[in-house]
Amino acid sequence: MSEPHSGRPPVRGAAKHPPEARGLLVRMLEFLHPGPDSKTELIETLADAEQRELIEPESRQMLEGVLRMAELSAGDVMVAAPRMDLLDIDAPYDELLGLVIDTGHSRFPVFEGSKDNIIGILLAKDLLKMQRAPELNLRALLRPTVFVPESKGLNELLRDFRSNRNHLAIVIDEFGNTAGLITIEDVLEEIVGEIEDEFDEKDGESGLYTLADGSLRVAGDASIAAVNGAFGLSLPDTDFDTIGGLIAHEHGQVPRRGESVPVGGLNFAVMLTRGGAVRWFKVTRAADGETGA
């Protein structure tokens, strides 16, 4: 008597290597060609692949960014609260428009009364609607605010940004206070590197960029001589070659994102850090009483 037919075609080669044989084969391959056992070894493997011209340098940097991003949280990348550009719901229209133009952002947290009381997010393009229709209520133009804890992982945050189509979130600390803000651009820059604005003017060799508000964005590895030339100063360059090294020395440690360090009549605000070093400063003339060294 023939066995009943299951109705499904046989899987070709399914029994070619029983589980025991496949397990032995895998162990032999791992013995002959062991793979990386840690993230550090994996990054070293990527560097080796680049040296052997198996992958492009840009590809290696992006892959490393993806690996490192898994270890970062919103608190590591956020713009700290003191550096946030906020709009006051009760401010006159001209004042709001001036701040939008000066900063060049596309989205702004809006507060009422206290800066910790953020009531919504305003898109710069929505503010322009009030020019044609002054009777519009600014409150009606606000978008909902998304709040995330400092501990929220960047991987999860990126998924949230993509799914809810929000590009900005307010970061809160363990007590519910505003710690800073983070944008989808901040997250993506951890993978692809600095995303330049189309209106930035680059002084390619010196690492100095002119921003829309007239201030300078200065690379951490820019030479002290370049900064001296741009501002007409004479910051010492005998002990340090880069401006990042000088600022870290004057500050006593590498400043964190959101911190500002006055040195030589200039104010160095940290815009971006990476790999334990400052990637970008925003440099302006220091206010009176903040001359620094």
Side-chain angles (χ1 to χ4, degrees), residues 67-128:
L67 293 172
R68 292 195 172 100
M69 191 177 74
E71 301 176 343
L72 298 176
S73 66
D76 296 320
V77 181
M78 69 179 184
V79 175
R83 298 291 302 164
M84 290 169 53
D85 293 313
L86 304 173
L87 300 182
D88 186 347
I89 189 68
D90 296 320
Y93 173 80
D94 290 342
E95 181 179 328
L96 297 176
L97 183 61
L99 181 58
V100 169
I101 294 174
D102 290 341
T103 58
H105 302 318
S106 59
R107 291 169 174 81
F108 293 84
V110 179
F111 71 92
E112 182 174 24
S114 167
K115 290 187 176 182
D116 276 331
N117 183 31
I118 296 175
I119 60 175
I121 304 298
L122 179 68
L123 273 60
K125 65 178 183 179
D126 287 344
L127 185 63
L128 298 179

Side-chain angles (χ1 to χ4, degrees), residues 220-281:
D221 59 359
S223 69
I224 298 175
V227 176
N228 283 336
F231 288 93
L233 300 176
S234 56
L235 297 175
D237 58 0
T238 54
D239 297 325
F240 303 95
D241 296 324
T242 67
I243 193 65
L246 176 62
I247 299 304
H249 173 73
E250 296 294 337
H251 189 55
Q253 61 183 9
V254 176
R256 299 183 61 184
R257 181 170 182 167
E259 288 187 312
S260 297
V261 183
V263 173
L266 301 177
N267 191 55
F268 292 82
V270 180
M271 301 177 67
L272 181 67
T273 60
R274 182 170 291 125
V278 175
R279 182 72 178 88
W280 291 108
F281 293 102

Side-chain angles (χ1 to χ4, degrees), residues 3-172:
E3 297 182 357
H5 194 274
S6 65
R8 290 181 296 179
V11 180
R12 295 182 180 274
K16 183 178 293 185
H17 297 293
E20 296 81 2
R22 287 204 306 272
L24 178 60
L25 179 60
V26 170
R27 289 197 296 271
M28 290 180 62
L29 290 174
E30 289 179 347
F31 177 77
L32 295 174
H33 301 284
D37 294 325
S38 66
K39 188 173 296 184
T40 300
E41 290 186 8
L42 181 54
I43 290 177
E44 292 174 352
T45 301
L46 291 174
D48 179 65
E50 179 192 346
Q51 292 178 354
R52 294 161 58 192
E53 299 184 350
L54 298 178
I55 59 176
E56 297 295 327
E58 294 80 6
S59 299
R60 177 186 65 82
Q61 292 171 5
M62 290 182 64
L63 290 170
E64 288 187 7
V66 170
L67 293 172
R68 292 195 172 100
M69 191 177 74
E71 301 176 343
L72 298 176
S73 66
D76 296 320
V77 181
M78 69 179 184
V79 175
R83 298 291 302 164
M84 290 169 53
D85 293 313
L86 304 173
L87 300 182
D88 186 347
I89 189 68
D90 296 320
Y93 173 80
D94 290 342
E95 181 179 328
L96 297 176
L97 183 61
L99 181 58
V100 169
I101 294 174
D102 290 341
T103 58
H105 302 318
S106 59
R107 291 169 174 81
F108 293 84
V110 179
F111 71 92
E112 182 174 24
S114 167
K115 290 187 176 182
D116 276 331
N117 183 31
I118 296 175
I119 60 175
I121 304 298
L122 179 68
L123 273 60
K125 65 178 183 179
D126 287 344
L127 185 63
L128 298 179
K129 296 177 182 178
M130 297 185 67
Q131 284 189 329
R132 288 192 173 183
E135 71 278 4
L136 283 176
N137 188 335
L138 185 60
R139 293 178 187 272
L141 300 176
L142 299 183
R143 311 293 177 96
T145 308
V146 175
F147 294 94
V148 299
E150 287 183 290
S151 58
K152 191 175 186 70
L154 291 193
N155 285 338
E156 185 180 358
L157 182 58
L158 182 58
R159 287 195 297 268
D160 290 349
F161 276 144
R162 294 179 60 190
S163 62
N164 60 29
R165 298 186 180 182
N166 284 316
H167 288 186
L168 183 150
I170 300 299
V171 183
I172 57 176

